[in-house]
Amino acid sequence: MTKTMQLASLCWALAAVLALIGCVNPRAVYWGSRAWQYRNPEANEPSAAAYAVQRVGAFVGAAVLCGMGFLLMHWENQSTYDAGDVKNAVDDVVAQLNQEKVLQGDILSPDYYLAVDTVMRKVTGEVLSDLSADPAGKTSDGGEKFTISSRKTGNPYCLTVTTGLSMENAPAKPMDVSLSATAHRGACR
């Protein structure tokens, strides 16, 4: 159970408690729980209007909490990527990475993780997306691999990002070089 589902369940449990409180006779609650505190309980008893406001407030609070629970569940369902959504997002990430340039040369090597993270945020439009890009090691030509998948549904893709330049054939002065990205279904090996 995800944290969002736990929060929705908590909202519904609190809504049920408030609904029960609204169903109980508030006058009986006063005489059973608070009247003993006063020397003259009849003089300190809330008015009929106060009892009505308490009851209406309990039902309104229950309705608001119930709505929040449904809103959280709706948000949970909207932010989950299924297999088709993951494929579309990976295709968009590859297309945008192929248009990116990074600084490379001399002792500088490109920061592939930063490039992938930046592009993923652009593609998903979310800071806390259901998609994750986990580093999966280096390639033989100096690039890097990332496993992109949905945290909730899986559906992994292996993203490989390179510049085509290794440290051996890097230019003497730092320069902008284009990224080259490819992806295939399945986790990186």
Side-chain angles (χ1 to χ4, degrees):
M1 182 181 278
T2 65
K3 288 195 184 282
T4 307
M5 292 173 69
Q6 289 173 346
L7 282 173
S9 299
L10 178 65
C11 285
W12 291 328
L14 291 173
V17 168
L18 281 177
L20 282 174
I21 290 171
C23 291
V24 173
N25 181 359
R27 189 165 197 263
V29 170
Y30 169 78
W31 283 101
S33 65
R34 295 188 324 210
W36 65 269
Q37 297 173 340
Y38 303 105
R39 185 172 286 176
N40 185 0
E42 291 87 12
N44 291 303
E45 182 178 7
S47 67
Y51 285 141
V53 168
Q54 287 176 359
R55 185 171 268 178
V56 168
F59 286 124
V60 168
V64 167
L65 283 169
C66 202
M68 284 178 55
F70 284 114
L71 186 65
L72 285 168
M73 290 306 295
H74 175 72
W75 178 75
E76 172 84 6
N77 291 335
Q78 292 297 316
S79 67
T80 301
Y81 284 72
D82 64 11
D85 295 334
V86 174
K87 181 184 180 334
N88 291 338
V90 168
D91 290 344
D92 291 346
V93 167
V94 168
Q96 286 201 19
L97 281 172
N98 284 329
Q99 296 173 3
E100 292 285 317
K101 292 191 179 281
V102 293
L103 196 61
Q104 181 171 347
D106 200 16
I107 60 169
L108 294 175
S109 61
D111 188 350
Y112 295 114
Y113 183 78
L114 180 62
V116 170
D117 185 57
T118 303
V119 168
M120 289 224 7
R121 287 177 194 251
K122 285 181 192 174
V123 167
T124 62
E126 303 168 22
V127 175
L128 297 173
S129 173
D130 176 39
L131 288 182
S132 66
D134 301 317
K138 299 277 186 190
T139 63
S140 59
D141 60 352
E144 201 163 334
K145 294 180 181 181
F146 298 89
T147 299
I148 297 178
S149 63
S150 166
R151 289 183 178 93
K152 296 174 190 138
T153 61
N155 304 308
Y157 280 80
C158 182
L159 174 71
T160 305
V161 185
T162 63
T163 60
L165 295 174
S166 63
M167 288 310 287
E168 294 84 38
N169 63 2
K173 292 182 180 176
M175 61 182 270
D176 285 336
V177 293
S178 296
L179 289 177
S180 173
T182 60
H184 66 275
R185 184 139 173 72
C188 297
R189 299 183 206 288

